[in-house]
Amino acid sequence: AGSGGGSGGGGPSLDFEASGGLSLDSGRHVSDTRPISRVGGGRGGVREVEMGSLGSNGGSSRGDGGDDDDGSNDTVELGLLHAVTKSTDAGTNESIPLDCGVSRSPTATAAAASHAAARPPRASVNLNMGGGECGWDRHTVTAAACYAALASVAIGYDEIFPVFAQTSRALGGLDLSAQDIGVVLICGGVALVVFQLTVFPVIIAHLGATRALRIFSLMFAAAVMVVPLASLPAVVSHDAARWAVVLTSQCVKIMVLAVLFTTVIMAVNNSCKNKVKGRVNGASTAAAAFGRIVSPIAHGVIFSWSLRLHVALHQFIVFGFVAACSLGVFLLVSMLPASLDSPPAEDDSDDAGADDKVIQTEEGAGESASAGDDKSGVGRPAGF
């Protein structure tokens, strides 16, 4: 493709109505005097016109007077004509059809129309159609509430356990030292690592996110009632029994919470579409942060109040409150549908709209660059 004209001699020529300026004569010369329209946003775009199969009925490949030796005019066949835009910045080639005003035969047009009509519609399988038009729905609110409630309950237990463990036996505590409490927490951390690497993948594969939430929220309510058993007179007087109860309670509790937090975050993200995931996670995290502020205060007040009660088993009151809150979490997670085990189906229209915006942006940048080239006169071949 260039700026040169066709061969002379008055030979037959074939003009194409493609915005004017493109002509093909029998001497196989292609002239294109049209200005280059920039397709992409990259600089240095060059449009080339490639010819597919060009042939003639005559025997000569180039006629002097435009006619073959047998005196018949050339019949030029346009095999393939397309424009190729090469971007020197991106390093890729993009083929763009070029409408040259060549009309199809009625038979070919009818065959193409019948083929398009016979094509079956594309079937789509949507396992999770949640999110609604705005990207989130009532299940998103429920999942975010579950995350905030679980964070509040978990931080309440974690804050009250060291206080209870260091309380004297006369007040119903375990009378453990700071070093002993550190050993309990370390053992829980080791158990968590082993559980996450071996057991957790199997649980998620068999139960799914929502079912695991329901089961393990009940398990957490039972696990928090194990540690006050170590303060019973028959257990606290034996160090081995006391340590066995405390370590078992801590390991079970931390593994249950690992499942709960992972699955509730999965439910939150699966309840909304990608375009609102940032806002949904921000709102749920803010609600959870507020719960983490209020919950330790509430649990501390209840624990202090229980110590002033001169009744038997008063140390079970605060842990009973934690278990009751865990049952509330169970009621919340029971409202989540099983479809939240998988991500929602994204709309093709949303992706198409985003692609259109990107294309429009690139076209605007390309037009700006073209205008700059016109003003400066730099980068335009002679004859264009």
Side-chain angles (χ1 to χ4, degrees), residues 193-351:
V193 172
V194 176
F195 173 79
Q196 289 278 52
L197 295 177
T198 57
V199 183
F200 178 76
V202 179
I203 293 175
I204 295 299
H206 285 77
L207 297 180
T210 54
R211 190 178 178 188
L213 268 174
R214 291 190 289 269
I215 294 175
F216 280 82
S217 59
L218 292 176
M219 291 180 62
F220 182 71
V224 297
M225 297 302 297
V226 175
V227 65
L229 296 176
S231 63
L232 296 176
V235 179
V236 74
S237 58
H238 298 83
D239 289 341
R242 181 183 59 175
W243 276 99
V245 173
V246 172
L247 290 178
T248 301
S249 173
Q250 179 66 15
C251 293
V252 172
K253 184 269 304 182
I254 198 168
M255 290 185 291
V256 169
L257 283 182
V259 176
L260 288 175
F261 274 107
T262 305
T263 52
V264 75
I265 292 175
M266 291 172 59
V268 170
N269 285 275
N270 291 340
S271 65
C272 59
K273 296 183 179 179
N274 291 334
K275 61 182 180 180
V276 295
K277 270 186 171 58
R279 283 175 285 177
V280 169
N281 280 276
S284 59
T285 304
F290 178 78
R292 288 187 173 102
I293 294 174
V294 177
S295 180
I297 299 174
H299 285 79
V301 170
I302 293 175
F303 182 73
S304 299
W305 170 74
S306 66
L307 293 179
R308 294 193 295 267
L309 297 177
H310 299 285
V311 295
L313 305 179
H314 60 85
Q315 65 271 25
F316 282 82
I317 294 178
V318 64
F319 294 101
F321 177 73
V322 176
C325 294
S326 301
L327 294 178
V329 175
F330 168 75
L331 295 178
L332 281 176
V333 300
S334 298
M335 301 169 61
L336 298 176
S339 60
L340 298 186
D341 292 345
S342 59
E346 299 293 335
D347 295 337
D348 293 338
S349 59
D350 296 341
D351 298 337

Side-chain angles (χ1 to χ4, degrees), residues 19-35:
S19 300
L22 179 65
S23 63
L24 174 68
D25 59 17
S26 60
R28 297 348 182 242
H29 286 262
V30 179
S31 298
D32 190 356
T33 59
R34 296 170 300 167

